[in-house]
Amino acid sequence: MAEQGNLFILSAPSGAGKSSLISALLKQDSSRVMQLSVSHTTRQPRPGEVDGQHYHFVTVEQFEQSVSEGAFYEYAKVFDNYYGTSVQAIDEQLAKGIDVFLDIDWQGAQQVRKKKPDVTSIFIAPPSKQELERRLTNRGQDSAEVIAGRMAKAQAECSHYDEFDYIIVNDDFDQALIDFTTIVNNQRLTREQQTRKHAELFKDLVSE
Ligand code: 5GP
């Protein structure tokens, strides 16, 4: 059987450093066996965001059409905008043996766990509430109102931390990256994965 990629969920309150950790992990991946899923969203692009790269930016009508066609593994309304994960894109990547990372919120994580029980979910936490607030304020892209809203959402996101398989507390970035890499490698070394990958080897090793 061809090697199937692993599916990972990453959730965190905004400001926990999730995007930086994912970028750093993917940068280390010279053989391109890991990819970040590109979600669909109805929110407006931020300065510098590119359609098809950061998100597929769509209208509410287009999003609702895709929902009715069953095109999403999961979707949720986050900060008044819709976000969704395409079934087709994920399945194609996994079938090619690519490890796929879903940067989604706790609502999406719950839906994906139901459809893909073998998914590995990781929660990334900030080292403290004060540090989270500092990081959200220093970003400089959003208004004070948006930041206050995000702090409230952060508390809601954090209240689901105990639904995840793994937790990384992002205090020291380098250590958090090591932790993240360890979790990903760990998944590749499970008996199931290794048996599939080395089917011929084990057939040979156990034959008399
Ligand atoms: P942002 O608008 O800052 O890029 O993302 C806001 C939140 O939406 C983040 O917590 C992010 O994880 C979540 N999000 C992004 N894409 C998806 C998705 O496809 N599904 C779900 N459920 N959440 C998403």
Side-chain angles (χ1 to χ4, degrees):
M1 199 193 298
E3 198 185 344
Q4 178 86 2
N6 295 306
L7 186 62
F8 295 90
I9 294 172
L10 285 127
S11 297
S14 53
K18 178 177 55 174
S19 308
S20 308
L21 276 174
I22 297 175
S23 316
L25 184 83
L26 296 184
K27 226 171 161 183
Q28 294 175 351
D29 172 38
S30 52
S31 50
R32 296 183 181 276
V33 291
M34 301 189 241
Q35 265 177 33
L36 176 63
S37 157
V38 180
S39 297
H40 287 68
T41 185
T42 58
R43 88 150 156 76
Q44 291 300 309
R46 295 199 186 109
E49 284 186 333
V50 179
D51 186 35
Q53 191 181 322
H54 297 93
Y55 282 104
H56 297 288
F57 294 99
V58 295
T59 62
V60 173
E61 291 71 32
Q62 287 169 325
F63 195 95
E64 285 172 349
Q65 174 75 20
S66 298
V67 169
S68 69
E69 289 166 358
F72 293 131
Y73 261 125
E74 60 76 35
Y75 69 94
K77 207 168 192 182
V78 188
F79 309 133
D80 298 328
N81 293 301
Y82 283 115
Y83 293 84
T85 304
S86 153
V87 172
Q88 196 191 353
I90 303 303
D91 285 354
E92 279 175 12
Q93 289 173 336
L94 292 175
K96 284 185 203 157
I98 295 169
D99 286 350
V100 179
F101 296 84
L102 306 181
D103 172 350
I104 61 178
D105 81 324
W106 65 271
Q107 305 172 80
Q110 286 188 346
Q111 295 171 49
V112 174
R113 276 189 209 102
K114 282 191 192 132
K115 290 185 183 158
K116 294 271 202 190
D118 57 349
V119 68
T120 303
S121 61
I122 307 168
F123 185 80
I124 300 166
S128 69
K129 217 167 185 171
Q130 289 75 12
E131 174 61 15
L132 181 71
E133 192 157 15
R134 195 189 65 76
R135 290 181 191 172
L136 288 181
T137 310
N138 283 358
R139 246 181 210 188
Q141 277 188 3
D142 301 303
S143 66
E145 200 186 336
V146 169
I147 292 166
R150 290 211 160 161
M151 281 305 291
K153 293 277 180 188
Q155 194 259 342
E157 188 75 37
C158 288
S159 68
H160 293 270
Y161 79 93
D162 57 354
E163 296 167 17
F164 289 76
D165 300 317
Y166 294 94
I167 296 173
I168 299 172
V169 177
N170 187 9
D171 189 3
D172 175 70
F173 185 82
D174 292 341
Q175 183 57 49
L177 184 57
I178 292 171
D179 293 346
F180 189 16
T181 311
T182 303
I183 295 166
V184 172
N185 288 339
N186 194 40
Q187 279 321 105
R188 293 189 180 144
L189 297 172
T190 61
R191 186 186 63 225
E192 274 187 343
Q193 286 284 317
Q194 292 288 62
T195 304
R196 233 177 309 184
K197 185 172 179 181
H198 302 287
E200 286 305 313
L201 168 68
F202 288 109
K203 205 170 140 194
D204 195 27
L205 288 175
V206 301
S207 69
E208 290 180 8

